[in-house]
Structures are given as structure tokens and as C-alpha cells.
Amino acid sequence: SGLIGRSWAMVFAAGGFKVKLYDIAQEQLTSALESIRQQMKQLKESGFLKGALSMEQQLALISVCTDLKAAVEGATFIQECTPENLELKKKIFGQLDLIVGDNVILSSSTSCLLPSKLFTGLKHVKQCIVSHPVNPPYFVPLVEIVPHPETDPSTTERTYALMKKIGQSPVKLNREIEGFVLNRLQYAVISESWRLVGDGVISPTDLDLVMSDGLGMRYAFIGPLETMHLRAEG
């Protein structure tokens, strides 16, 4: 029920889904609920509240729980949002593997840990997948869907359909790769940025302007491949 967990709860509630927010500490859950309430209030007042339901209806869809078995009872989709710690995530998925049925999807929010490192050896590995959001998920819709080598294609399709239904913009990776796609693109830009500044070609302030007032404005609505396709010479 940290930053990403709260955002996911709000996104799913906006989509009309009942959400159980799980954590090991009740005070953490109490804090999370209050934070969600305040965020929704601000969103409502500024006209940015997502979904067809009212703020009150969305809040009513979110409940909290400190018992893992009770939290996942009746669930069709489980989104793990623990810190980026491989052993912690493996421990959680190991616990879930023992208590879930054959229809629930086990999904991770990890931004860089490979599905093969997270899910290999689990009984329900065919139901496991990475659904990597971009922070903050409530405002940035992209979700990278990354399968384990043994993930059933139906798990990928169901996850993709669910993300579309709640208003996100899912993309499917055909196979796992270090850093997924968003971070690989980001790292390439960051690497060249360091090089240009380090070589004395441009100042850090002006380098950032190249992105914020140049490339970034273009890439906000059109990708690099489409840009090349539509450029002057085709």
C-alpha cells in the first residue's frame, strides 16, 4: 500500500473494480486510505477524477486487509507492489502460489526484475506476468506487459484487456529483456545526455531544454518510428 499500490488502487477503482489493498501493518493501510481519500478529493476539485463513478462510489470500492489469504479470496487479478527487492517479491509470490486457484492472474509492478527471476518454479507460473506501470500510474497510462517464458498466452491477453478496460495504455513485450522497453529507451537518452554534457558540447540546463522544449514535445504524441515514417523524405 505504498505509492504505487495506492495509485493502482485508485486506477482500478476508477475502472469500477472492487479493490482489496493488502499490507502487513494496519497503520500503513489507514494512512494509505486517508492518502487516497485526499488525492481523490483534490482530483475531483480540479476536474481530473477518472472514471464514470463518483468519488464516494470509488472510495467505497476500496477496502483494506492485513491477512493475505483473506485479501486474495475471490480475486481475479492480483497486482504486487512491494519494494524493488527480488527476495521479498519471490517470498510474496511463493506465499500466493500456495493459496490461489487456477484462474487468478499474479502480476508484478516491478520496473526491472525479469519474470524468469520472479516466477520460475511456481506452481502457477502460467498465470504469472509483469505489468510494469509508469509512475504515477494515475496520470501516465503506459503499462508494459512482460511474460515469463512459461506464461500462458491467455494470461497476457486477459491482462492486456483488463488494462485497456481501466483506461491504461498497455503494450505487450513478446519476450522478457533486461530493463524492458521504456527503461531501455530512457537509458539510451540518459547515456547520450551524459556524453554530450561531459564532452562540453552543451550545458546541463540547455540539454534539458532540448528534451522539454524539443524532442519531448514531439514524443508526447508521436513515437520515433512513426516520426521517421512521416518525415519530409518519407
Side-chain angles (χ1 to χ4, degrees):
S1 66
L3 185 66
I4 299 298
R6 296 172 192 185
S7 287
W8 270 125
M10 291 168 64
V11 170
F12 281 114
F17 286 91
K18 187 183 275 187
V19 180
K20 277 189 186 173
L21 201 54
Y22 165 81
D23 213 306
I24 55 174
Q26 183 60 50
E27 59 268 24
Q28 171 71 11
L29 289 168
T30 303
S31 170
L33 271 184
E34 182 54 33
S35 172
I36 288 171
R37 185 183 303 277
Q38 290 300 323
Q39 286 185 69
M40 282 195 181
K41 184 180 177 185
Q42 291 170 358
L43 290 163
K44 178 185 175 184
E45 290 172 352
S46 59
F48 288 109
L49 187 70
K50 296 171 76 168
L53 301 177
S54 69
M55 184 190 97
E56 291 74 19
Q57 288 172 318
Q58 292 185 33
L59 282 169
L61 288 172
I62 304 173
S63 59
V64 297
C65 189
T66 55
D67 180 83
L68 188 62
K69 192 170 183 179
V72 302
E73 187 177 353
T76 56
F77 188 86
I78 298 168
Q79 184 73 24
E80 168 271 320
C81 308
T82 58
E84 201 72 350
N85 178 303
L86 178 61
E87 293 310 312
L88 175 59
K89 288 184 185 291
K90 285 177 70 174
K91 179 183 175 184
I92 288 286
F93 282 110
Q95 293 172 339
L96 289 168
D97 197 38
L98 298 174
I99 57 178
V100 299
D102 295 333
N103 292 316
V104 65
I105 292 174
L106 298 174
S107 173
S108 175
S109 294
T110 182
S111 59
C112 65
L113 297 173
L114 292 174
S116 56
K117 291 183 178 178
L118 285 173
F119 307 130
T120 295
L122 295 181
K123 183 174 62 173
H124 295 92
V125 66
K126 291 183 177 181
Q127 299 155 230
C128 294
I129 201 157
V130 164
S131 302
H132 168 226
V134 186
N135 195 27
Y138 197 87
F139 294 105
V140 185
L142 184 76
V143 180
E144 293 184 290
I145 298 175
V146 191
H148 181 280
E150 297 177 68
T151 296
D152 192 281
S154 67
T155 299
T156 302
E157 294 306 321
R158 285 172 59 200
T159 303
Y160 183 88
L162 176 62
M163 292 302 158
K164 292 282 281 188
K165 190 169 185 178
I166 61 174
Q168 301 302 92
S169 298
V171 294
K172 290 180 274 191
L173 273 66
N174 296 319
R175 60 182 174 85
E176 65 176 24
I177 184 171
E178 294 278 357
F180 310 152
V181 173
L182 181 140
N183 278 325
R184 291 180 75 92
L185 289 172
Q186 183 171 245
Y187 295 160
V189 171
I190 291 171
S191 178
E192 184 60 19
S193 298
W194 281 124
R195 191 175 295 113
L196 289 165
V197 172
D199 288 349
V201 174
I202 193 168
S203 72
T205 302
D206 281 355
L207 185 285
D208 278 351
L209 268 177
V210 170
M211 182 59 71
S212 65
D213 287 20
L215 273 179
M217 296 179 82
R218 174 192 294 165
Y219 287 163
F221 66 93
I222 187 172
L225 300 183
E226 193 173 359
T227 299
M228 286 190 286
H229 181 66
L230 297 174
R231 62 196 288 182
E233 297 300 322

